[in-house]
């Protein structure tokens, strides 16, 4: 508690989905855990006319709906008394003058006036909000200031650069927190511990033992109500450019000198810099894209992507991508990384599979019958829905004959550490308050990942989007992409403990 300073957290877009679904429940949890300073205040900034009381009432309803916890009303009252509402359009300079006066009134007198500007706003307004913070002098008034950006940070490299230049006029890199909520997930944070605190894994984490890496981030859901945004973005910009590049970087990075934000971010960027360059002609060799048609997922009828709300009838936006990347450095030479992500796939799952090289099958070639075909040893880091780590190996099936099957040792995160691991947003908000940038995306990372995404998207202009049935693992060309290298996708398997957890 001593290290937590008071601050005023200003949420731009405080009546929106993100605030209701994620930020309010996260603030409640921080209050519950006494991780908000008693003098911290929250200003909800949005355009609908509301009193403080009305906003607090609605905030309670959202927190009840979206928090995993049962609300303790004494804790809620404490939090509610810290929340204020400021009505304004994002573009209205006068609204920022009112905001400045409100902040002056509510911020802790004795500790300067630290401010967190959280832009939970549509990205088209990021520039206008930053300009207005400057014009009103809010970015320079007393105390420290930090500014938090939700994804997407730009639509391509050029727009990201432009946005970054606007922000850089008023904020230094150490004041800028670009959210990638995947980095707040427990199992993603666990990757560095798994790799660098465990000599057994550390020593085999390289080209000598690893054949390839597969990363799957699949959703059963479609695009829900996000057609407007998604149709301009697609799976490449929505998932690959940010979350999947972070997973690649954390899986492949070298150990850093210290566990601090700059060192970790530096090592991650080196991974992106080592990705083998490719021309637009190569793009269709190393990547495929698809879009879902109508069909059924889990016995539920679902619409085609083109029939979703706010999607163009002739849209060729991809809702599925599969991709092969080569990382040309000492550790990963000739160890490809295969990535796939999409909407309306067979199940909701995010996992990283480290697939190890196989032994020559001399011993078991003739005299072992195989129950299901010996698969390679695999280490699977399951990010969602059941967090955990599994190690797959071959074992003898009991009996007189030599029959071999694949078995898994599962580490169940929730079984060991209990339920209610912090939601990504709790962790990320707490880190902004305490000034730790480790789990936020640096500009270098944004720049390199946009470069890669732009190259892929330019290459795609030569080809056409293909179609897949909902409830599958995407277009068949994704299988061909990996099969032409003599490999295959390993279908995610439910860990043994998922029944225990009721998932
Ligand atoms: N929702 C998610 O789960 C999610 C996940 C990852 C990233 N994000 C990112 O988070 C940001 C917010 O997303 P969201 O889903 O919360 O959006 P949203 O539901 O559309 O909410 C947008 C918020 O901005 C306000 N707003 C819009 N135009 C305004 C204006 N001209 N002046 C003042 N206020 C205005 C809205 O107020 P009204 O209520 O009056 O319209 C609302 O409070 C976006 O950058 C998005 O990409 C969201």
């Amino acid at each position: 508690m001593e290290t937590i300073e008071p601050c005023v957290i200003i949420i731009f877009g405080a009546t929106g989905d993100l605030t209701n679904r994620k930020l309010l429940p996260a603030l409640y949890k921080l209050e519950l855990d006494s991780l908000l300073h008693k003098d911290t205040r929250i200003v909800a900034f949005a355009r609908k006319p509301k009193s403080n009381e009305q906003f607090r009432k609605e905030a309670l309803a959202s927190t009840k709906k979206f928090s995993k916890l049962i609300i303790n009303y004494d804790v809620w009252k404490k939090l509610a008394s810290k929340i204020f509402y400021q009505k304004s359009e994002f573009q209205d300079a006068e609204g920022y003058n009112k905001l400045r006066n409100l902040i002056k009134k509510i911020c802790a007198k004795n500790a300067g006036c630290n401010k967190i500007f959280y832009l939970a706003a549509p990205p088209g307004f990021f520039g206008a909000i930053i300009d207005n913070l400057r014009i009103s002098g809010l970015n320079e008034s007393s105390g420290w200031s930090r500014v938090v950006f939700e994804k997407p940070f730009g639509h391509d490299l050029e727009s990201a650069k432009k946005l970054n230049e606007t922000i850089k006029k008023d904020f230094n890199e150490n004041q800028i927190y670009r959210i990638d909520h995947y980095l707040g997930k427990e199992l993603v944070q666990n990757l560095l511990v798994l790799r660098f605190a465990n000599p057994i894994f550390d020593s085999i984490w390289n080209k000598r033992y690893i054949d390839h890496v597969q990363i799957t981030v699949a959703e059963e859901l479609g695009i829900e109500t996000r057609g407007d945004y998604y149709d301009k973005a697609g799976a490449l910009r929505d998932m690959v450019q940010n979350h999947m590049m972070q997973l690649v970087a954390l899986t492949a990075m070298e150990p850093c000198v210290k566990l601090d934000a700059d060192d970790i971010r530096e090592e991650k960027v080196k991974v992106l810099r080592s990705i083998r360059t490719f021309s637009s002609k190569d793009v269709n060799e190393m990547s495929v894209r698809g879009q879902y048609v109508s069909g059924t997922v889990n016995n539920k009828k679902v619409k085609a992507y083109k029939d979703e709300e706010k999607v163009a009838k002739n849209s060729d936006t991809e809702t599925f991508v599969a991709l092969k990347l080569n990382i040309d450095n000492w550790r990963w030479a000739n160890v490809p990384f295969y990535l796939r992500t999409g909407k309306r796939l067979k199940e909701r799952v995010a996992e990283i599979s480290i697939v190890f090289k196989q032994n020559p099958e001399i011993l078991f070639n003739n005299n072992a019958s195989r129950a299901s075909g010996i698969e390679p040893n695999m280490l699977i880091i399951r990010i969602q829905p059941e967090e955990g780590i599994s190690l797959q190996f071959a074992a003898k099936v009991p009996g007189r004959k030599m029959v071999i099957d694949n078995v898994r040792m599962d580490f169940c995160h929730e079984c060991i550490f209990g339920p209610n691991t912090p939601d990504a947003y709790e962790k990320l908000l707490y880190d902004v308050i305490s000034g730790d940038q480790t789990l936020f995306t640096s500009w270098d990372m944004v720049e390199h990942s946009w470069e890669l995404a732009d190259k892929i998207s330019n290459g795609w202009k030569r080809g056409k989007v293909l179609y897949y049935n909902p409830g599958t693992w995407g277009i068949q060309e994704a299988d061909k992409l990996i099969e032409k290298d003599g490999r295959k996708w390993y279908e995610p398997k439910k860990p043994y403990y998922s029944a225990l957890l009721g998932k």
Side-chain angles (χ1 to χ4, degrees):
M1 188 64 203
E2 315 84 75
T3 57
I4 302 169
E5 293 177 82
C7 59
V8 182
I9 305 170
I10 303 109
I11 303 176
F12 293 94
T15 51
D17 185 60
L18 182 80
T19 308
N20 283 304
R21 204 184 276 276
K22 295 292 179 187
L23 301 184
L24 289 167
L27 285 165
Y28 170 76
K29 183 68 172 31
L30 292 179
E31 182 67 63
L32 180 72
D33 294 346
S34 303
L35 294 173
L36 290 182
H37 192 283
K38 69 177 177 35
D39 292 329
T40 282
R41 299 289 177 265
I42 295 145
V43 178
F45 188 105
R47 63 185 160 182
K48 292 196 178 93
K50 277 182 213 296
S51 63
N52 291 337
E53 270 322 307
Q54 193 182 347
F55 183 82
R56 289 170 188 166
K57 215 168 123 192
E58 289 165 9
L60 172 60
S62 293
T63 309
K64 272 185 180 167
K65 184 169 172 196
F66 293 113
S67 173
K68 288 186 259 173
L69 308 169
I70 294 168
I71 304 301
N72 172 327
Y73 286 92
D74 291 335
V75 175
W76 175 261
K77 271 191 205 152
K78 241 165 109 184
L79 176 65
S81 68
K82 296 176 176 172
I83 303 179
F84 299 83
Y85 186 79
Q86 176 64 61
K87 174 203 168 312
S88 174
E89 292 279 336
F90 293 143
Q91 314 88 311
D92 179 8
E94 188 44 36
Y96 293 75
N97 291 333
K98 287 184 186 152
L99 175 65
R100 200 186 49 221
N101 294 337
L102 174 62
I103 292 175
K104 226 187 222 168
K105 219 160 74 189
I106 60 177
C107 81
K109 306 270 179 303
N110 52 355
C113 201
N114 304 324
K115 289 170 290 300
I116 293 172
F117 302 108
Y118 196 121
L119 276 63
F125 289 107
F126 287 176
I129 296 172
I130 295 297
D131 286 344
N132 275 314
L133 290 178
R134 180 186 337 106
I135 294 163
S136 62
L138 268 162
N139 61 325
E140 282 184 342
S141 48
S142 69
W144 49 252
S145 302
R146 295 177 188 144
V147 59
V148 185
F149 292 92
E150 271 298 331
K151 79 161 204 192
F153 195 88
H155 178 75
D156 52 18
L157 181 59
E158 198 189 325
S159 56
K161 271 186 176 162
K162 220 165 132 193
L163 173 61
N164 207 47
E165 277 156 23
T166 307
I167 302 164
K168 283 280 168 130
K169 286 188 211 153
D170 305 300
F171 296 94
N172 298 322
E173 183 66 20
N174 64 9
Q175 295 175 283
I176 304 172
Y177 291 71
R178 300 178 195 85
I179 295 241
D180 185 323
H181 72 269
Y182 255 64
L183 294 179
K185 290 182 185 281
E186 270 300 321
L187 261 285
V188 174
Q189 292 173 56
N190 215 341
L191 253 171
L192 293 191
V193 177
L194 175 78
R195 290 191 53 197
F196 300 129
N198 294 294
I200 54 166
F201 298 126
D202 174 37
S203 53
I204 55 174
W205 210 269
N206 57 52
K207 61 179 181 285
R208 230 174 271 163
Y209 300 98
I210 296 177
D211 179 74
H212 71 279
V213 176
Q214 303 191 356
I215 304 181
T216 298
V217 179
E219 290 288 347
E220 226 176 86
L221 290 177
I223 53 159
E224 306 294 286
T225 53
R226 296 166 69 219
D228 211 11
Y229 153 76
Y230 198 91
D231 206 32
K232 290 179 210 110
L236 179 71
R237 292 185 174 85
D238 187 48
M239 292 301 296
V240 178
Q241 181 270 337
N242 37 60
H243 309 319
M244 296 195 86
M245 282 302 123
Q246 293 288 350
L247 298 183
V248 169
L250 285 165
T251 307
M253 69 182 256
E254 293 301 313
C256 38
V257 179
K258 277 192 279 128
L259 261 191
D260 70 18
D262 287 345
D263 283 346
I264 294 177
R265 290 157 124 201
E266 195 180 316
E267 291 304 333
K268 281 164 58 183
V269 170
K270 282 189 201 162
V271 174
L272 298 201
R273 284 177 45 210
S274 312
I275 290 177
R276 186 180 300 168
T277 51
F278 49 87
S279 69
S280 345
K281 268 199 278 173
D282 302 329
V283 168
N284 293 313
E285 286 295 306
M286 55 173 275
S287 71
V288 293
R289 65 190 165 128
Q291 189 188 84
Y292 58 83
V293 294
S294 61
T296 48
V297 180
N298 268 337
N299 299 324
K300 217 180 97 197
K301 279 201 164 158
V302 296
K303 289 180 190 170
Y305 173 73
K306 284 189 174 77
D307 295 329
E308 300 276 16
E309 224 177 283
K310 297 190 183 159
V311 167
K313 286 279 171 245
N314 59 352
S315 171
D316 67 350
T317 299
E318 77 288 352
T319 57
F320 174 89
V321 182
L323 179 67
K324 173 185 171 183
L325 296 174
N326 291 291
I327 299 174
D328 281 343
N329 64 17
W330 194 254
R331 185 185 290 268
W332 296 109
N334 299 320
V335 181
F337 279 57
Y338 299 96
L339 280 50
R340 61 178 173 169
T341 183
K343 301 273 182 202
R344 290 270 186 246
L345 297 184
K346 194 164 178 184
E347 62 184 87
R348 172 177 175 253
V349 60
E351 62 180 37
I352 303 170
S353 301
I354 312 295
V355 183
F356 292 94
K357 291 187 171 162
Q358 284 185 282
N359 275 347
E361 289 185 13
I362 301 162
L363 273 184
F364 301 107
N365 215 10
N366 299 322
N367 57 0
S369 70
R370 295 165 187 201
S372 56
I374 305 178
E375 289 185 349
N377 289 159
M378 275 193 259
L379 185 71
I380 299 128
I381 298 115
R382 186 118 167 155
I383 298 162
Q384 63 191 28
E386 317 88 349
E387 300 170 317
I389 298 171
S390 302
L391 183 64
Q392 173 168 295
F393 55 97
K396 180 183 170 298
V397 178
R400 273 172 286 117
K401 286 191 176 163
M402 176 61 82
V403 178
I404 296 175
D405 203 356
N406 307 301
V407 294
R408 289 189 176 195
M409 278 195 306
D410 286 334
F411 153 61
C412 160
H413 192 271
E414 185 174 327
C415 312
I416 304 287
F417 296 117
N420 301 328
T421 52
D423 180 79
Y425 275 90
E426 277 161 55
K427 170 75 182 139
L428 296 173
L429 253 177
Y430 178 75
D431 284 357
V432 181
I433 294 169
S434 43
D436 182 350
Q437 289 188 299
T438 309
L439 300 181
F440 296 84
T441 312
S442 64
W443 167 247
D444 289 356
M445 189 87 187
V446 175
E447 188 175 24
H448 281 93
S449 50
W450 270 129
E451 251 170 46
L452 183 103
D454 279 3
K455 266 198 208 165
I456 296 172
S457 126
N458 286 335
W460 280 348
K461 287 181 186 148
R462 291 164 175 262
K464 276 192 182 155
V465 74
L466 303 167
Y467 295 96
Y468 62 96
N469 288 320
T472 65
W473 287 110
I475 50 174
Q476 286 174 353
E477 281 66 15
D479 296 336
K480 292 183 193 150
L481 177 87
I482 190 166
E483 282 164 7
K484 69 186 177 199
D485 293 343
R487 301 182 174 104
K488 64 169 192 168
W489 294 106
Y490 293 100
E491 192 157 328
K493 289 181 193 159
K494 284 228 167 278
Y496 299 128
Y497 56 80
S498 72
L500 260 177
L501 302 177
K503 289 189 178 171

